[in-house]
Amino acid sequence: MNEQAPTRRIIIAAIITGLAILIALAAYIFWPSVATVHPSDAAPVAEDAAKSADEAVAAAGMSPADRKATEALVKAYILENPEIITDAVAILQQREVAQRLSAAGDDITKPFPGAEAGNPQGDVTIVEFTDYNCGFCRASVPDVQRLLRSDGNIRLVYRELPILSQSSRDAALWALAAARQGKHKAFHDALFAGGRADEANIVAAARTAGLDLAAARTFAASPQANQEIERNLAFMQQIGFNGTPTFIIGDQILEGALGYEALKRAVEKARQKG
């Protein structure tokens, strides 16, 4: 028993030392861009790793030679199996995404009244942040429509995120007015089909969707409509993305024009997780 206890301590120390090296390598390889932007965030990572290793070595009573040999073995293993670093970073990133979405709460999936499509009782909710002057958003429209047609158990929540121009905001406010009249999807699809979201195209899309133009114009100028836009901009800051389109599907944050197949896989993944 007396011989086994030191051995166990050495093994534990070796594991902790290995993890410390792994963290340090990950910081060096994967976080240089972060360190460039926020240098104060990167230094503590390496310092904490070194401190943990020192404490583990001291607790195990390892000699300097033992420590050097352990570090060499762990480093060799990591260099021979570098995929463990990318795997660890991927897991860390996913946990961070889950934390940001959890902080946003259930409100993220509660649409502005009328700003939704698909099956209201669907088992998977897609939240789409969009800007009517965004070419990638326009390119995504047929993929999203195809997804809704092919899967009758998806609920789609539209969130207006006008970040490109003033006309983007004007279009977003009119989209909320369309939602108020129960015609959001019709307006959404018509405006993207009509090209750039300038005043003429906004009015044309409103007519195509069958809006009461006077009522829509009044609501688009209302505090309620503008508050909803500000709420969506706040969601963007809280969740931590900066472009459109952005899709939130389950615990996934997906940015850009992904295509039908990628969206479908994301829905399947969310469905599997329940």
Side-chain angles (χ1 to χ4, degrees):
M1 291 294 294
N2 292 335
E3 294 179 357
Q4 291 177 353
T7 301
R8 284 198 296 269
R9 288 198 300 270
I10 291 173
I11 291 173
I12 292 171
I15 293 172
I16 296 175
T17 303
L19 290 173
I21 295 172
L22 177 60
I23 293 170
L25 283 173
Y28 176 77
I29 295 171
F30 289 96
W31 300 335
S33 60
V34 175
T36 300
V37 179
H38 303 290
S40 62
D41 294 338
V45 174
E47 292 175 1
D48 289 345
K51 183 179 179 181
S52 296
D54 289 341
E55 290 174 351
V57 168
M62 293 176 68
S63 68
D66 290 335
R67 173 174 180 162
K68 187 174 182 179
T70 300
E71 290 176 346
L73 287 171
V74 173
K75 182 177 180 180
Y77 179 81
I78 293 173
L79 293 177
E80 290 172 4
N81 302 274
E83 64 276 5
I84 66 174
I85 297 178
T86 55
D87 291 344
V89 171
I91 292 172
L92 176 61
Q93 290 174 337
Q94 185 55 47
R95 287 177 181 173
E96 291 175 345
V97 166
Q99 289 173 355
R100 296 201 303 271
L101 291 177
S102 178
D106 293 337
D107 287 346
I108 194 70
T109 60
K110 295 178 182 177
F112 183 84
E116 60 182 320
N119 182 353
Q121 305 301 321
D123 65 342
V124 173
T125 296
I126 297 176
V127 180
E128 179 183 1
F129 288 83
T130 190
D131 183 309
Y132 287 101
N133 280 317
C134 168
F136 294 111
C137 298
R138 181 176 295 108
S140 296
V141 170
D143 296 320
V144 174
Q145 291 176 336
R146 180 183 174 190
L147 189 64
L148 293 180
R149 289 194 304 267
S150 65
D151 188 331
N153 212 17
I154 292 175
R155 173 175 173 254
L156 175 63
V157 172
Y158 296 102
R159 291 210 171 276
E160 311 301 335
L161 191 70
I163 56 177
L164 295 179
S165 66
Q166 179 58 48
S167 65
S168 294
R169 189 177 183 103
D170 294 339
L173 291 167
W174 274 74
L176 295 174
R180 188 175 177 84
Q181 296 183 30
K183 299 176 180 178
H184 182 278
K185 186 177 186 304
F187 176 84
H188 175 278
D189 293 347
L191 185 51
F192 271 127
R196 182 168 179 78
D198 56 23
E199 183 177 357
N201 284 334
I202 291 172
V203 173
R207 287 199 175 101
T208 299
L211 298 189
D212 178 328
L213 297 185
R217 186 173 283 107
T218 297
F219 185 77
S222 71
Q224 184 180 354
N226 280 278
Q227 286 168 5
E228 176 65 13
I229 299 300
E230 295 304 320
R231 183 168 178 253
N232 291 340
L233 291 169
F235 274 134
M236 177 181 70
Q237 295 296 323
Q238 184 177 24
I239 295 170
F241 63 90
N242 55 17
T244 55
T246 292
F247 301 91
I248 296 175
I249 307 176
D251 61 358
Q252 305 162 82
I253 301 175
L254 309 170
E255 299 184 58
L258 305 172
Y260 169 76
E261 293 297 336
L263 289 171
K264 181 181 178 182
R265 286 194 298 271
V267 167
E268 292 171 350
K269 182 177 179 181
R271 185 167 283 144
Q272 289 171 359
K273 289 187 174 183

